[in-house]
Amino acid sequence: KEKFETAKTKLKDCNDSESEECTHAKDEIKGHAKEQIIHAADQMINHLEKVKEKIAENEDLSEEDAAEMTASIDSQIAELESIKSQAETAETKEDIVAAAKALAKKWKLFKARVNTHLGRTINAHMGGIIIRSEQLVDKLEQRLERLESQGHDVSETQELIAEFNSKIEEAKASHQEAVELFAEAKASADINTEKVTQAHEKMNALPM
């Protein structure tokens, strides 16, 4: 950074000079700009790789959804690698500016796409929890029926299970709304950020 600031200071005094010192200052600034673009692209790639790991680890995602999201992320990583190559091979100021603009354009969609992938992953996990909760309730109800047939008072427990069932139904409704909102968001050519936000709000409203 110190070298960059020194080069900027020197360049201010250069005007249109082609002296060795001024040429070196220009090269320093171009090199720093290229490094910044490459570093930013690398950070985005690393984040996408982490999202891919979360998708791979999620047993509640269908194979189709996991494959679709992974393919989407791989496509985004490939685009970022292309921008990195564009920056690495840039020789002129115009080349660097073009790479920077390409990355800036990519950044606009990056957050929305990542939030969509993460949201769908988390929502799928919540869907799995809902299914397992329903299975637990079925087992509890069967157990209560046996106890009741043996003369035990299970009224209080039945009330608790009924309340839990109500929570499950609320969770299913919010989960399904989130699923539909994420589907609408990803169907949009340029990820519908409003739909993504609404979907996250539905997930946050899950009563489980």
Side-chain angles (χ1 to χ4, degrees):
K1 186 177 179 180
E2 187 177 335
K3 285 184 178 181
F4 173 67
E5 292 300 330
T6 301
K8 275 177 65 179
T9 302
K10 287 180 180 177
L11 197 60
K12 285 180 182 178
D13 300 325
C14 283
N15 295 320
D16 295 325
S17 173
E18 295 297 330
S19 68
E20 184 178 341
E21 189 176 29
C22 289
T23 300
H24 180 70
K26 290 176 184 176
D27 289 341
E28 283 278 357
I29 289 172
K30 285 192 291 186
H32 180 78
K34 288 166 69 169
E35 286 174 9
Q36 290 294 99
I37 294 168
I38 293 165
H39 177 66
D42 277 334
Q43 284 188 314
M44 292 165 73
I45 290 170
N46 289 339
H47 195 61
L48 287 170
E49 291 289 0
K50 289 178 182 177
V51 176
K52 273 179 67 176
E53 288 175 13
K54 289 184 182 296
I55 291 169
E57 292 167 359
N58 193 321
E59 297 178 355
D60 296 308
L61 273 171
S62 68
E63 287 186 17
E64 182 182 357
D65 283 346
E68 179 256 310
M69 284 193 281
T70 300
S72 173
I73 289 173
D74 284 339
S75 175
Q76 292 174 69
I77 289 174
E79 288 177 26
L80 287 165
E81 290 289 0
S82 176
I83 292 171
K84 276 180 61 181
S85 297
Q86 188 179 346
E88 287 166 349
T89 58
E91 294 183 0
T92 66
K93 176 184 175 182
E94 289 71 26
D95 291 338
I96 296 170
V97 169
K101 284 182 177 179
L103 186 63
K105 184 178 179 181
K106 186 69 184 167
W107 174 253
K108 284 184 179 180
L109 285 175
F110 177 76
K111 188 175 179 180
R113 289 190 186 280
V114 167
N115 281 343
T116 300
H117 293 317
L118 283 176
R120 290 174 67 193
T121 303
I122 295 167
N123 202 45
H125 181 61
M126 292 306 298
I129 291 174
I130 290 169
I131 291 170
R132 290 188 286 277
S133 296
E134 288 180 315
Q135 292 169 344
L136 173 62
V137 167
D138 287 341
K139 289 179 181 178
L140 286 172
E141 286 177 339
Q142 290 171 18
R143 176 65 175 159
L144 285 181
E145 285 176 9
R146 287 196 296 271
L147 289 171
E148 191 173 27
S149 68
Q150 295 168 6
H152 295 283
D153 181 6
V154 295
S155 56
E156 287 188 14
T157 307
Q158 284 175 329
E159 287 178 12
L160 290 173
I161 290 177
E163 185 180 341
F164 187 48
N165 253 328
S166 175
K167 293 292 185 185
I168 291 175
E169 290 305 314
E170 288 179 39
K172 282 172 69 176
S174 291
H175 167 72
Q176 186 55 40
E177 286 183 58
V179 168
E180 291 169 4
L181 285 164
F182 279 125
E184 290 178 36
K186 77 184 185 72
S188 172
D190 295 326
I191 296 291
N192 190 321
T193 55
E194 184 181 347
K195 294 294 183 184
V196 174
T197 301
Q198 289 175 5
H200 277 277
E201 287 172 354
K202 289 297 178 185
M203 287 196 304
N204 291 334
L206 285 171
M208 300 183 71

